[in-house]
Amino acid sequence: MNSKRKKDYFVKMNNVKWTSASHASQVAVTSSWLLLLGILLIAANLRASITAVGPIVSDIQAVFGLSSAMTGLLTTLPLLAFALVSPMAPRLARRISMENTLLLAMVVLTGAIVIRSLPSIAALFAGTALLGMAIAAANVLLPSLIKRDFPTSVGMMTGLYSVIMNLGAALASGFSIPIAEQLGFGWQGMLASWSLVALIATASWLPQTRSLTRSGRMETASSAKRPSLLSSGLAWQVTLFMGLQSFSFYVNISWLPEILFDRGMSHIDAGWMLSLLQFVSLPATFIIPVIAGRQASQRGLAVLTAVLLLIGYIGLLIGSSALIPICMILLGIAGGSGFSLAVMFFVLRTSSTEQSAQLSGMAQSIGYLLAAAGPLLFGFIHDLTHNWTISLVMLVIVSVIFGIVGLSAGANKYLPSDTRK
């Protein structure tokens, strides 16, 4: 080969290498954007099908003749499902990959929403339980997926997915009455309409299951021999933090519209007050994880969250109509901050993807079991007292305990890499 041919050959080979590298880079960027889109669309479904129930709860009561306690069970059932399924999600992910587990969760969620909208009290409760199981798996695995695939931007990604999740919840609360009444769908048609959002998320996640080029399975080395986190004080502190913030959140979405209605608001206005609470949570939901990720200790953020929660509930207890919007804003900011901190603790207090999933599973299982008592207990106390005073006092006490737990969960501590230590 003469010198000119050699030169042409090497130029051609360099061009091929550059083109291949460029193509690989483009594929990687496209794959990352598809992954981000899939995560955000899944996140949009993690609260909407639950929060849509609150504003139309009186219609459900009227149709099926349910007591306040039985109506509270509609919100409690998903939480019980969270408690049941959360520990199982990491195990299923190790068997079939996180990607496939999330796809299965979205398929089940789509079907469960349709079942819940059928004209049967059995379908109402069965569909509600199924959608809780589907959401539980995604709740547990998304933080671990973010820790694995976005290790350098955990705070930003946690903020993004939390914002989208809460935005979906807020839109579901605000539009449930307009869809049911003004568009003429009825409450059953309104509930069924959210299956379309779940179907879109399912379709968006399919590319992740077709090409599992990343490590689809979590690290499994010695995981079968590793003891439970139940012996860890830090794991229990994170669990209680998760449970108490969820306790407050699910009481809010279940009963705040009814409290405001009893104080003279229309159902539409009460629904939009619940949406206000969730909309104002969005900035905190995004900003708090970013700040938390840059700090060694999150104790100050946890205490600030508890103080806002406490002031909001005291304002509702006072009963002044003028204070209601202010209370919604304070409770919304506290709710967004509390949830985001809890999710960040799953990442910040652990050393691996598997350990993050384990802590997430424990915290959401036991935490949501605690939270499940909230709507049911709140409605039961109202049935006994025929007013909201004692129920709101309970939330004031919960806020104080939440702040105390936050001081421990937010401290600069970590689970050991081997829980046997």
Side-chain angles (χ1 to χ4, degrees):
M1 184 181 294
N2 60 38
S3 60
K4 184 177 185 302
R5 287 184 178 179
K6 284 183 179 180
K7 182 179 180 181
D8 291 343
Y9 173 78
F10 285 118
V11 168
K12 182 178 180 181
M13 291 304 297
N14 285 333
N15 287 338
V16 169
K17 290 179 181 178
W18 184 88
T19 302
S20 299
S22 177
H23 176 69
S25 177
Q26 290 174 356
V27 169
V29 169
T30 301
S31 177
S32 295
W33 279 107
L34 285 174
L35 175 60
L36 175 61
L37 176 64
I39 289 172
L40 297 183
L41 285 173
I42 289 175
N45 285 274
L46 298 187
R47 292 293 181 273
S49 58
I50 298 174
T51 60
V53 174
I56 50 93
V57 72
S58 58
D59 293 332
I60 296 176
Q61 281 183 299
V63 170
F64 295 114
L66 301 177
S67 66
S68 293
M70 284 297 292
T71 305
L73 188 59
L74 285 176
T75 303
T76 303
L77 262 181
L79 302 184
L80 294 174
F82 291 176
L84 175 66
V85 173
S86 292
M88 302 177 187
R91 300 174 195 170
L92 184 59
R94 283 195 294 269
R95 283 179 173 272
I96 67 172
S97 82
M98 281 198 280
E99 287 83 354
N100 286 329
T101 304
L102 287 167
L103 178 64
L104 177 62
M106 288 299 100
V107 170
V108 172
L109 178 61
T110 304
I113 294 173
V114 173
I115 292 172
R116 183 181 63 169
S117 67
L118 298 176
S120 161
I121 190 169
L124 175 69
F125 282 95
T128 299
L130 279 174
L131 69 86
M133 293 179 185
I135 291 172
N139 276 339
V140 170
L141 295 179
L142 277 185
S144 301
L145 188 77
I146 288 172
K147 183 179 179 73
R148 187 194 73 187
D149 292 341
F150 299 92
T152 60
S153 53
V154 169
M156 179 73 71
M157 283 300 302
T158 299
L160 278 175
Y161 111 78
S162 300
V163 164
I164 295 300
M165 184 183 70
N166 284 285
L167 180 60
L171 292 174
S173 296
F175 283 105
S176 61
I177 294 293
I179 291 173
E181 296 182 359
Q182 296 172 7
L183 295 183
F185 278 43
W187 68 266
Q188 289 170 298
M190 182 277 294
L191 291 180
S193 68
W194 295 104
S195 64
L196 179 61
V197 183
L199 185 61
I200 292 171
T202 303
S204 76
W205 195 248
L206 283 173
Q208 304 307 319
T209 63
R210 290 201 187 105
S211 55
L212 297 179
T213 56
R214 296 175 307 280
S215 175
R217 298 174 187 271
M218 293 182 293
E219 305 99 319
T220 59
S222 73
S223 62
K225 301 177 182 178
R226 186 170 292 169
S228 167
L229 294 177
L230 293 173
S231 60
S232 168
L234 177 57
W236 275 104
Q237 290 155 12
V238 172
T239 295
L240 287 174
F241 189 88
M242 179 71 190
L244 291 172
Q245 69 84 23
S246 296
F247 185 102
S248 299
F249 174 81
Y250 285 102
V251 167
N252 290 345
I253 65 170
S254 299
W255 292 111
L256 280 183
E258 286 302 299
I259 293 173
L260 300 182
F261 178 72
D262 284 353
R263 293 190 175 169
M265 278 193 179
S266 68
H267 276 124
I268 291 179
D269 289 342
W272 280 112
M273 280 292 103
L274 185 58
S275 284
L276 171 65
L277 179 148
Q278 293 173 89
F279 276 120
V280 299
S281 75
L282 299 182
T285 300
F286 180 75
I287 294 170
I288 293 299
V290 177
I291 297 174
R294 296 174 179 174
Q295 296 181 343
S297 170
Q298 294 77 36
R299 299 178 80 178
L301 294 173
V303 171
L304 176 61
T305 300
V307 169
L308 293 177
L309 203 63
L310 180 64
I311 295 173
Y313 286 133
I314 290 175
L316 284 178
L317 194 56
I318 292 172
S320 171
S321 298
L323 291 176
I324 288 175
I326 298 174
C327 293
M328 295 299 105
I329 292 171
L330 293 176
L331 292 175
I333 295 172
S337 176
F339 175 79
S340 296
L341 278 176
V343 174
M344 283 297 290
F345 290 158
F346 302 156
V347 176
L348 296 176
R349 300 292 175 259
T350 57
S351 58
S352 68
T353 300
E354 183 197 5
Q355 194 178 61
S356 175
Q358 285 181 317
L359 180 57
S360 179
M362 172 182 169
Q364 297 198 53
S365 176
I366 300 172
Y368 281 127
L369 190 60
L370 173 62
L376 195 60
L377 182 59
F378 201 86
F380 178 71
I381 293 174
H382 176 260
D383 284 348
L384 287 179
T385 63
H386 302 291
N387 64 62
W388 302 106
T389 302
I390 302 301
S391 296
L392 288 171
V393 168
M394 176 185 70
L395 293 179
V396 169
I397 296 172
V398 166
S399 302
V400 173
I401 299 173
F402 177 71
I404 296 171
V405 171
L407 282 172
S408 298
N412 185 18
K413 299 181 292 186
Y414 305 90
L415 291 171
S417 56
D418 187 338
T419 55
R420 290 171 292 186
K421 295 180 182 178

